[in-house]
Amino acid sequence: MLDFIKKIYMRDDTSSRNQANNRLRVVLTHDRLNLNANTLNTLKEEIIAVISKHLDIDGTPEVRLITEGRNTALDISIPIKGR
Amino acid sequence: MDKKTSECQVIVVTSGKGGVGKTTTVANVSTALARMGYRVVVMDLDIGLKKLDLILGLENRVIYDIVQVIEGECTLRQALVKDKRFPELYLLPAAQTRNKDEITPEQVKQLCDQMRPEFDFVFIDCPAGIEQGFRNAIAAADRALVVTNPEVSAVRDADRIIGMLESAGFQDIKLIVNRIRPDMVRHGDMLSIEDLLEHLCIDLIGVVPEDKSVVVSTNRGEPIILNNRSTAALAFNNIARRITGEQVEFPTFEEDSFWNRLKGLGRNLFSTR
Ligand SMILES: Nc1ncnc2c1ncn2[C@@H]1O[C@H](COP(=O)(O)OP(=O)(O)OP(=O)(O)O)[C@@H](O)[C@H]1O
Ligand SMILES: [Mg+2]
């Protein structure tokens, strides 16, 4: 019974432990790159603008940071409209 | 007694954020190593805000300090304070009325080089922050122990410090998580050990639970490792053993069993004594 209650607890996305983890993921990535949320948004807009000058973008482009260990990569995924 | 190892290790204990448990760690781990028979010196580099002498209960024996050694007012030997309990343990006190900027990384290196032939371990208690005091503290160290608490601001600072240590060329950086409360982790109210390892991506060398007897032993000026019943005492003792290269099992970090395993380990360890 106790275990059951605990499980529900742990799955809860709003637990302060989960919130701390989510906030840390963002803040550590930004700290390591010396980047803030604003710069990231600008970067995203500019990348999309450059691409759309030459190609037709189809659907929702994605520009985001992915982290593996202490390393980070910029992940750009832009669907292009074909003929 | 002679040195037990041929190579001396200089170990800096650092954190970025203040108050996470650096000085408590230095006092206890070094006392544990001295109890095992190693020759140990603890160097207080928290100049201007020294506390190590108090935690070790040696405040009344301090005569000279590190700045006086560096400025040539006394010899290193004169400044070293012998521990009350373990004759193989010495404290090199910080100056209380001086400023961190009065010494340089080069001077700290020279001091450590002077101590290396005589000791198995030199522990450096680093001040909080990332300025001059931090640079002095890491200058001579062969390895680093990063202390953090399971709390966002402490983890953020630990990450920053790990990055700076890596840039400074450190190959051996280990994590100590202090003041964990397994009951809170279990209820989703505190970051777990796995969470911290996922964020910081370095090896773990110790997990120290929140323990009221830390405050009691600080009041008395007696390192907590001398208290056999405390869970923090066991944790600090395990860190000392891992530093010497011994494989000491960690309790599983499965939150539910953490506490029980820790208690079980404690019983085994202390009943064989
Ligand atoms: N595991 C623990 N359980 C309970 N209290 C603790 C624990 N570890 C440390 N403390 C308490 O936390 C306080 C800060 O510890 P300590 O002085 O070791 O931190 P510090 O990192 O050296 O601080 P500073 O940055 O100011 O030098 C002390 O009052 C200490 O008794
Ligand atoms: Mg301190």
Side-chain angles (χ1 to χ4, degrees):
Chain A
M1 181 63 197
L2 214 81
D3 275 331
F4 178 64
I5 294 172
K6 253 181 236 154
K7 274 202 187 109
I8 294 178
Y9 236 110
M10 299 302 292
R11 228 185 274 142
D12 183 4
D13 267 357
T14 62
S15 80
S16 75
R17 173 182 166 192
N18 274 330
Q19 287 180 331
N21 275 320
N22 293 336
R23 292 172 67 211
L24 271 172
R25 256 171 229 126
V26 175
V27 99
L28 294 188
T29 307
H30 289 176
D31 282 359
R32 286 171 193 165
L33 299 172
N34 199 6
L35 195 84
N36 59 43
N38 235 340
T39 330
L40 191 63
N41 274 334
T42 315
L43 180 68
K44 194 169 161 176
E45 281 163 20
E46 289 179 8
I47 288 173
I48 295 170
V50 168
I51 306 285
S52 61
K53 259 204 285 189
H54 305 283
L55 295 164
D56 275 345
I57 295 180
D58 189 16
T60 340
E62 261 194 86
V63 178
R64 58 189 183 131
L65 293 169
I66 48 175
T67 321
E68 214 184 288
R70 298 187 63 81
N71 302 316
T72 310
L74 190 64
D75 182 43
I76 305 177
S77 162
I78 303 181
I80 308 295
K81 199 178 282 175
R83 229 178 258 258
Chain B
M1 203 215 263
D2 283 337
K3 280 179 64 171
K4 281 177 100 170
T5 59
S6 53
E7 283 286 308
C8 170
Q9 291 189 29
V10 180
I11 305 177
V12 62
V13 179
T14 180
S15 68
K17 187 172 190 286
V20 298
K22 294 177 292 296
T23 304
T24 307
T25 302
V26 169
N28 283 286
V29 172
S30 58
T31 304
L33 286 165
R35 180 166 66 181
M36 295 174 200
Y38 290 97
R39 305 208 64 187
V40 187
V41 63
V42 293
M43 194 165 164
D44 190 351
L45 277 187
D46 199 350
I47 291 167
L49 292 168
K50 63 174 178 163
K51 301 171 206 74
L52 196 49
D53 54 340
L54 272 178
I55 297 198
L56 287 167
L58 297 176
E59 68 277 11
N60 291 329
R61 303 189 176 197
V62 173
I63 300 170
Y64 297 107
D65 63 59
I66 185 171
V67 178
Q68 289 175 305
V69 178
I70 286 171
E71 291 180 348
E73 282 176 45
C74 64
T75 64
L76 175 60
R77 203 161 285 276
Q78 285 174 315
L80 286 175
V81 181
K82 200 186 187 100
D83 185 61
K84 294 187 220 172
R85 295 149 286 243
F86 299 100
E88 308 299 328
L89 179 62
Y90 290 85
L91 164 71
L92 180 57
Q96 182 67 332
T97 54
R98 302 293 193 101
N99 187 307
K100 294 183 187 35
D101 305 337
E102 287 178 45
I103 61 174
T104 65
E106 201 43 52
Q107 289 168 329
V108 177
K109 265 194 220 163
Q110 278 170 13
L111 262 185
C112 286
D113 285 343
Q114 245 180 293
M115 294 190 283
R116 278 179 195 271
E118 311 261 348
F119 292 96
D120 296 302
F121 294 98
V122 177
F123 277 89
I124 300 179
D125 188 13
C126 179
I130 50 170
E131 289 84 27
Q132 178 74 27
F134 170 72
R135 285 194 294 275
N136 287 339
I138 67 168
D142 307 314
R143 50 197 291 205
L145 303 180
V146 174
V147 184
T148 195
N149 297 155
E151 180 219 319
V152 281
S153 61
V155 177
R156 182 187 208 172
D157 282 8
D159 189 69
R160 180 92 197 272
I161 287 293
I162 293 164
M164 294 177 82
L165 289 168
E166 282 177 345
S167 315
F170 276 80
Q171 309 266 330
D172 189 343
I173 309 171
K174 299 259 158 53
L175 185 69
I176 295 175
V177 181
N178 186 25
R179 310 194 76 155
I180 191 122
R181 294 190 49 182
D183 56 328
M184 288 185 72
V185 175
R186 206 159 42 229
H187 287 97
D189 286 328
M190 183 178 268
L191 291 162
S192 71
I193 303 296
E194 295 93 328
D195 294 341
L196 297 195
L197 293 178
E198 184 202 314
H199 291 301
L200 296 173
C201 313
I202 60 168
D203 290 340
L204 186 67
I205 198 168
V207 178
V208 185
E210 173 80 26
D211 187 336
K212 285 196 192 96
S213 41
V214 172
V215 179
V216 176
S217 63
T218 305
N219 288 341
R220 297 211 165 102
E222 269 182 18
I224 193 171
I225 61 133
L226 304 175
N227 168 356
N228 280 4
R229 270 198 292 271
S230 138
T231 50
L234 171 65
F236 283 123
N237 208 54
N238 283 347
I239 294 172
R241 291 166 64 196
R242 291 188 193 107
I243 284 174
T244 67
E246 194 183 330
Q247 295 290 331
V248 185
E249 217 187 304
F250 280 99
T252 34
F253 304 131
E254 184 58 45
E255 279 82 59
D256 285 346
S257 57
F258 181 92
W259 204 234
N260 292 330
R261 286 286 298 269
L262 203 61
K263 280 189 181 149
L265 269 177
R267 259 198 305 281
N268 294 343
L269 182 80
F270 291 119
S271 58
T272 54
R273 230 157 245 282

